[in-house]
Amino acid sequence: MNFKGDIPAIYGWGSYIPVYRIKLDEIARVWGEEPARVKSGLQVEEISVKGRDEDQVVIAVNAAWTALKRAPEVSPKDIGAVYVGSESKPYAVKPTATIVAAAVGAPVTIRAADYEFACKAGTEALISVMAQVVSGMIRYGLAIGADTSQSWPGDVLEYTAGAGGSAYIIGSKSSTSVAYFESQYSVATDTPDFWRRDEVKYPRHMGRFTGEPAYFKHIMLAANELMSREGLKPSDFDYFVPHQPNGTFPVRVALRLGFKPEQVKPGLISPWVGNFYSGSSLTGLSRVLDKAKPGQRILLVSFGSGAGADAFSLVTQEAIEGKKGLAPTVDDYISRKKYVDYSTYLKFWDKIYGV
Amino acid sequence: MSDMSVPKTPRIWQLAERRYRLIGSKCLKCGRVFVGSRKVCPQCGSRELEDVELSRKGKIYSYTVIRASPMEREKYGPYIMAIVELDDGCKLTTEIVDCSPEEIDIGTEVEATFRKIGEESKSGVIYYACKFRPVAKGV
Amino acid sequence: MIMRGDVAVIGVGMTKFDEHWNKQLRDLFVEAALEALDDARVSLKDVKAMFVGNMGSGMWVEQEHLGSLLADYLGISGVPSLKVESACASSGMAFRLGLMSVTAGLHDVVLVGGVEKMSDVTTSESTHHLATAADREWEAFYGMTFPGLFALIARRHMKQYGTTREQLAKVAVKNHKHGSYNPKAQYQRAISIEDVLNSPLVADPLRLLDSSPISDGAAAVIIARSDIARRFTDTPVYVLGSGAATDAIALHDRDDITTLRSVVLAAKEAYNMAKVEPEDVNLAEVHDCFTIAEILAYEDLGFARKGEGGKLIDEGVTELGGKIPVNPSGGLKAKGHPVGATGVAQVVEVTLQLRNEAGKRQVSNAEIGLTHNIGGSGASCIVHILGRGRR
């Protein structure tokens, strides 16, 4: 345990996923790719699509509302910080966090900011809130990872760029918290595997370079750092939740770290909704919390291009059982869906030139 | 053509939090609840009203599908508009989202969801508020 | 009531209602006003005040201060002149203010007009501008439109009273038939029930042919103290009753959206003032901005019991030749609906009918006529009752 005093803990968790889906077969049809090959390579069937009235702010607020439903003992007036991680903010300058704070009824005496670190911006927001809680600066904080993941039309990224996110109410561990953090370790290096320049609409990436020297290296560094410093091994964990850029990477990194498929599968969301960027690993964790029993240990490892990874070890508590039913689960959101064709997807995304 | 709109940021900002959180006015004398901010109750004339958080669930009272859109929604396509009667008795006008017209009727149960309403222009301020969507089964 | 019969309409005029591509708002107004002056045999110098109904010149043609502009272009600068706004009931309200200024003894002869120029902008801009008559912050902000509001009313009326889609269509069919007799109507062609039912949906269940068009036009009347009316004309038509009322601006703040309370209140005031009952009315010009609005008007004006408006159209009671012909001019549906001009245009039609000058659409033995002009989704209403005799 690398916390010296108070122990940070989750009081409420909640996700939001838009209702629309596009099948990878449909995207492949448009670009002349062989659907079976694309799907088996990525292990993704379909991805969530933002509606015409949904953006990253909408996802963040709805996720926050869902998380608050699971923390009925937390008054919005006791929230001292709102941090939102994202790489698809509708404003380049103007915080999403202040809109979220207003929408949840947080007081004006809060800290609020948006984080950017590609796909690990959400866990950066979480770390910030955890630190403020255990240092005694705030009683509760709200941390969110949310994205309407962007991709160039026709880019391979388009097959996995979903939309969704999750929110967490964090406070100091008590009998009503649902899971507490045992430890947290991070790594960061200057690795340009994926980026988006200012004033450019969609990100670019270096193809296979995003894999070995980026995703795998950083997740394994962070996970191994946590396990070696804390004296833990894969078998000590009930669940492993890594960042999910597709359906294959999380399983491969799990196996390489020594986890079994059954440890990683409960937290997988990418096969059915794709990659939520900053909201990806946090929504995987949300799905695990929807099912976890008290006393189980979870390893969460985010990955952000550019590049870095945040590893967290959590242990679930008794109170989790009473809070599961207070709000829709990730699986509720996954199963509630309406398919759109590629043209509608372009319209919803405002990707039709000149409109 | 949203780019034609003139900036009206302060006016939108004045009501933003009421719209985000569904805050209405309740008459302390007759108990009636209104979606807007009121100083006088139009039903009983009382001046004793207070802000209340409105119920986030209700039923469709009447609905339509707007197919001739106002200019700020020219490229939005047909959309469902309804008067919803909330569980606290307050009625309000809202868009119904995440469903097709065939899936709803008068009486359909709906719940609040946070959505984008529009924007001043492509470079302008974005407006958000609550819309409603059918209550999902099993949730 | 002091107003009863004290004021007479001594002259009427109106432009054709149409898409007037090459005319401006001021051109339309002056054309209608001069026609009314000539009809009344009143000279410009006799006009002592002017009231102009207009909903949204500031939005549609970026021109406000219409009172002064139009007095100037009519060549009567110097007289007090005022723009009156009550959404689509603007000129109905202007007419009432004109009556008040005469009965108050301020002016002997007053010009009341109404004008709107809508076709200079796109349909979606007009849709936006019209929606400013709703509650901007709690209806229009969320995407509500005027067809949308009346569609909500229609769906409730159909649900609560069993009013049918065909009955709504019959209102449009009747008014188009009437409009075919009116040379100043925007649409002078008959349509069938099938035409209505096959026209594009605008706001379910309302279709394009349930809806009044976007129009340009102006209408004007000259009113005078009744005791001097015969100095100008041999055929004065007397204003027997006037009623005006309001309701909650937003449809959702009303208890029952299938009745327009403002109409019930305004009609009651007008009937009482005129000492007239609904069954005494020989013809009515009602505000059929959408077909459902005419059904509501039948009920709220007392021509039918609540919920039985549909039956009235089925039985042909409101057709020319029926017991109470409604909208012999073609109504807003066929004659056109330049919103700010509509209220005065209704007075023009009733006056022509009571003067027995309505040509092919003449209602026989018309003694008493009624106008019904509503603003927004019924948040304002003006009812007037006019008579051939002063009673």
Side-chain angles (χ1 to χ4, degrees):
Chain A
M1 178 153 321
N2 63 353
F3 301 107
K4 301 271 185 280
D6 278 3
I7 296 168
I10 297 169
Y11 277 76
W13 77 98
S15 303
Y16 180 78
I17 302 172
V19 76
Y20 297 104
R21 302 283 183 281
I22 188 165
K23 287 179 185 284
L24 263 58
D25 305 69
E26 170 69 0
I27 304 174
R29 179 187 67 79
V30 169
W31 296 109
E33 298 284 348
E34 200 184 314
R37 198 187 57 76
V38 172
K39 286 193 288 183
S40 74
L42 296 169
Q43 289 297 308
V44 175
E45 272 297 314
E46 54 201 40
I47 57 173
S48 57
V49 176
K50 68 170 184 153
R52 56 193 167 173
D53 62 353
E54 291 174 310
D55 62 13
Q56 178 257 355
V57 173
V58 165
I59 288 167
V61 169
N62 282 307
W65 282 352
T66 311
L68 276 165
K69 281 188 196 167
R70 286 213 178 88
E73 73 276 27
V74 175
S75 162
K77 295 289 163 217
D78 291 328
I79 292 174
V82 176
Y83 288 94
V84 184
S86 179
E87 52 180 288
S88 57
K89 283 164 47 120
Y91 289 99
V93 177
K94 164 150 192 2
T96 294
T98 55
I99 305 174
V100 174
V104 300
V108 294
T109 50
I110 53 158
R111 296 186 188 85
D114 293 356
Y115 268 87
E116 191 280 308
F117 192 150
C119 298
K120 86 174 186 82
T123 51
E124 284 292 353
L126 178 60
I127 292 166
S128 216
V129 169
M130 286 163 57
Q132 291 187 30
V133 164
V134 296
S135 69
M137 291 169 75
I138 59 172
R139 188 166 173 205
Y140 296 107
L142 175 56
I144 301 172
D147 263 307
T148 53
S149 305
Q150 298 142 317
S151 61
W152 285 99
D155 185 5
V156 63
L157 215 50
E158 196 173 30
Y159 291 106
T160 55
S166 295
Y168 290 86
I169 315 286
I170 306 297
S172 288
K173 184 188 170 197
S174 78
S175 62
T176 64
S177 53
V178 300
Y180 66 89
F181 292 89
E182 287 185 309
S183 55
Q184 196 283 310
Y185 294 89
S186 295
V187 295
T189 70
D190 179 11
T191 308
D193 59 315
F194 173 113
W195 62 90
R196 181 164 67 85
R197 289 283 302 274
D198 193 21
E199 297 194 351
V200 177
K201 242 178 146 176
Y202 308 115
R204 278 184 57 185
H205 57 86
M206 274 307 297
R208 292 181 57 76
F209 185 67
T210 60
E212 205 52 53
Y215 179 85
F216 291 99
K217 173 183 163 184
H218 291 86
I219 287 193
M220 291 173 72
L221 272 174
N224 283 326
E225 174 76 0
L226 183 145
M227 287 193 282
S228 67
R229 296 274 291 265
E230 298 294 319
L232 293 166
K233 51 190 186 304
S235 59
D236 293 326
F237 292 94
D238 297 282
Y239 305 100
F240 172 54
V241 184
H243 174 55
Q244 303 170 34
N246 50 47
T248 53
F249 277 26
V251 177
R252 274 167 56 193
V253 81
L255 296 176
R256 283 170 68 172
L257 279 164
F259 290 96
K260 295 193 171 71
E262 23 321 352
Q263 286 167 289
V264 70
K265 278 187 176 152
L268 277 187
I269 55 159
S270 53
W272 311 284
V273 286
N275 180 1
F276 294 171
Y277 288 179
S278 307
S280 176
S281 56
L282 287 178
T283 305
L285 175 64
S286 179
R287 185 165 191 245
V288 164
L289 293 176
D290 287 343
K291 314 166 185 214
K293 299 196 165 30
Q296 293 192 311
R297 182 178 278 134
I298 304 162
L299 178 62
L300 166 73
V301 189
S302 66
F303 167 73
S305 291
D310 300 326
F312 305 74
S313 170
L314 301 88
V315 177
T316 52
Q317 301 172 251
E318 286 298 328
I320 195 168
E321 291 296 356
K323 289 185 171 182
K324 286 177 185 171
L326 299 180
T329 64
V330 170
D331 282 354
D332 287 332
Y333 281 107
I334 288 177
S335 61
R336 189 179 186 182
K337 58 187 176 182
K338 287 182 175 300
Y339 290 104
V340 294
D341 60 15
Y342 192 78
S343 320
T344 307
Y345 157 83
L346 288 182
K347 186 178 116 172
F348 285 179
W349 253 102
D350 211 5
K351 283 185 179 182
I352 301 175
Y353 178 78
V355 174
Chain B
M1 297 283 281
S2 51
D3 276 318
M4 291 167 54
S5 312
V6 291
K8 48 204 168 199
T9 303
R11 210 188 81 217
I12 302 298
W13 169 79
Q14 286 149 16
L15 295 174
E17 200 164 334
R18 300 187 78 89
R19 286 180 174 136
Y20 294 172
R21 293 173 52 209
L22 275 182
I23 296 172
S25 303
K26 181 174 185 171
C27 174
L28 297 176
K29 209 166 162 197
C30 73
R32 187 155 170 179
V33 188
F34 304 91
V35 66
S37 170
R38 288 179 183 267
K39 295 270 184 283
V40 181
C41 175
Q43 178 160 287
C44 75
S46 161
R47 296 189 197 182
E48 289 170 54
L49 289 98
E50 67 175 13
D51 283 354
V52 289
E53 287 200 19
L54 302 176
S55 172
R56 307 181 68 81
K57 284 192 178 176
K59 290 193 173 87
I60 292 177
Y61 173 81
S62 190
Y63 70 99
T64 181
V65 183
I66 307 290
R67 295 167 196 275
S69 305
M71 61 184 176
E72 61 272 28
R73 287 193 171 209
E74 258 186 333
K75 299 286 158 43
Y76 193 73
Y79 54 96
I80 303 168
M81 289 298 299
I83 291 178
V84 167
E85 183 164 12
L86 302 177
D87 291 348
D88 55 23
C90 177
K91 283 193 297 205
L92 52 75
T93 299
T94 184
E95 184 179 346
I96 305 292
V97 295
D98 292 355
C99 65
S100 63
E102 295 72 34
E103 295 170 73
I104 59 165
D105 203 347
I106 289 174
T108 299
E109 287 186 53
V110 292
E111 63 186 358
T113 179
F114 189 84
R115 296 300 166 107
K116 177 176 168 177
I117 298 288
E119 57 195 16
E120 259 172 22
S121 67
K122 286 284 176 208
S123 62
V125 164
I126 304 167
Y127 316 141
Y128 299 94
C130 284
K131 299 181 180 178
F132 281 73
R133 66 178 199 165
V135 175
K137 290 182 197 79
V139 175
Chain C
M1 301 287 172
I2 57 167
M3 195 185 276
R4 180 169 174 267
D6 287 350
V7 184
V9 177
I10 60 172
V12 298
M14 68 179 273
T15 67
K16 184 173 187 287
F17 284 0
D18 213 336
E19 290 170 307
H20 287 288
W21 297 115
N22 55 3
K23 285 181 187 170
Q24 294 215 315
L25 181 144
R26 64 188 75 182
D27 303 327
L28 293 166
F29 180 81
V30 169
E31 183 182 324
L34 290 177
E35 189 178 300
L37 287 162
D38 292 346
D39 181 55
R41 285 175 285 158
V42 161
S43 69
L44 286 171
K45 67 175 169 42
D46 294 323
V47 176
K48 296 297 191 288
M50 191 162 102
F51 295 89
V52 183
N54 173 268
M55 173 177 167
S57 59
M59 296 182 287
W60 269 287
V61 296
E62 298 179 320
Q63 176 72 60
E64 287 293 5
H65 213 170
L66 284 193
S68 299
L69 172 87
L70 298 177
D72 180 10
Y73 272 74
L74 190 57
I76 58 169
S77 268
V79 304
S81 177
L82 176 69
K83 164 171 163 165
V84 180
E85 190 275 318
S86 188
C88 308
S90 292
S91 63
M93 189 53 98
F95 185 69
R96 182 171 159 104
L97 288 185
L99 301 177
M100 288 159 70
S101 78
V102 173
T103 53
L106 278 174
H107 310 292
D108 294 343
V109 177
V110 169
L111 191 155
V112 180
V115 61
E116 208 78 54
K117 182 75 172 86
M118 303 170 77
S119 69
D120 293 350
V121 302
T122 62
T123 301
S124 64
E125 282 175 84
S126 277
T127 303
H128 169 270
H129 298 345
L130 287 166
T132 62
D135 186 329
R136 179 70 221 167
E137 304 296 3
W138 299 106
E139 293 184 311
F141 174 83
Y142 291 89
M144 187 46 93
T145 64
F146 257 90
L149 289 166
F150 280 92
L152 295 179
I153 293 173
R155 195 180 294 277
R156 279 307 296 196
H157 204 276
M158 292 164 90
K159 166 106 175 168
Q160 284 177 224
Y161 303 113
T163 302
T164 65
R165 213 12 292 205
E166 286 69 25
Q167 287 170 335
L168 297 179
K170 284 178 183 174
V171 172
V173 170
K174 168 185 72 76
N175 290 346
H176 265 260
K177 186 179 170 196
H178 293 178
S180 71
Y181 307 135
N182 184 353
K184 287 189 171 171
Q186 185 164 352
Y187 298 118
Q188 300 173 30
R189 63 184 171 88
I191 58 171
S192 67
I193 290 178
E194 291 68 38
D195 290 337
V196 180
L197 298 183
N198 292 329
S199 65
L201 281 163
V202 172
D204 312 13
L206 298 179
R207 293 172 180 273
L208 187 64
L209 289 179
D210 288 298
S211 319
S212 54
I214 286 169
S215 317
D216 305 325
V221 296
I222 314 294
I223 57 174
R225 268 199 353 251
S226 291
D227 58 342
I228 62 167
R230 284 193 185 268
R231 281 190 218 160
F232 303 98
T233 179
D234 299 330
T235 53
V237 165
Y238 298 95
V239 182
L240 305 179
S242 174
T246 54
D247 198 352
I249 186 86
L251 204 55
H252 59 234
D253 279 332
R254 304 184 201 158
D255 289 330
D256 178 4
I257 66 171
T258 62
T259 187
L260 300 183
R261 185 166 161 265
S262 65
V263 177
V264 174
L265 293 173
K268 192 178 171 197
E269 183 189 3
Y271 285 136
N272 284 345
M273 190 185 294
K275 297 197 171 93
V276 156
E277 300 289 328
E279 45 274 25
D280 300 327
V281 174
N282 301 122
L283 76 127
E285 282 285 306
V286 309
H287 197 99
D288 60 324
C289 49
F290 298 93
T291 48
I292 182 65
E294 182 162 323
I295 302 282
L296 290 191
Y298 295 164
E299 298 168 358
D300 295 335
L301 291 170
F303 299 158
R305 280 205 296 268
K306 184 45 65 186
E308 295 182 359
K311 217 193 281 180
L312 219 58
I313 191 80
D314 277 340
E315 291 166 356
V317 175
T318 55
E319 276 175 43
L320 274 170
K323 187 171 162 285
I324 311 177
V326 171
N327 285 329
S329 69
L332 283 55
K333 175 70 206 77
K335 182 179 57 184
H337 185 28
V339 287
T342 283
V344 166
Q346 293 175 327
V347 176
V348 170
E349 176 68 13
V350 169
T351 301
L352 290 174
Q353 291 283 353
L354 297 180
R355 282 169 24 179
N356 207 17
E357 293 173 13
K360 279 198 270 185
R361 62 184 193 280
Q362 180 63 49
V363 175
S364 49
N365 304 317
E367 289 289 332
I368 290 176
L370 177 147
T371 64
H372 156 271
N373 186 200
I374 64 175
S377 59
S380 61
C381 177
I382 323 287
V383 171
H384 284 105
I385 296 170
L386 289 81
R388 190 199 294 265
R390 197 170 167 182
R391 285 165 76 95

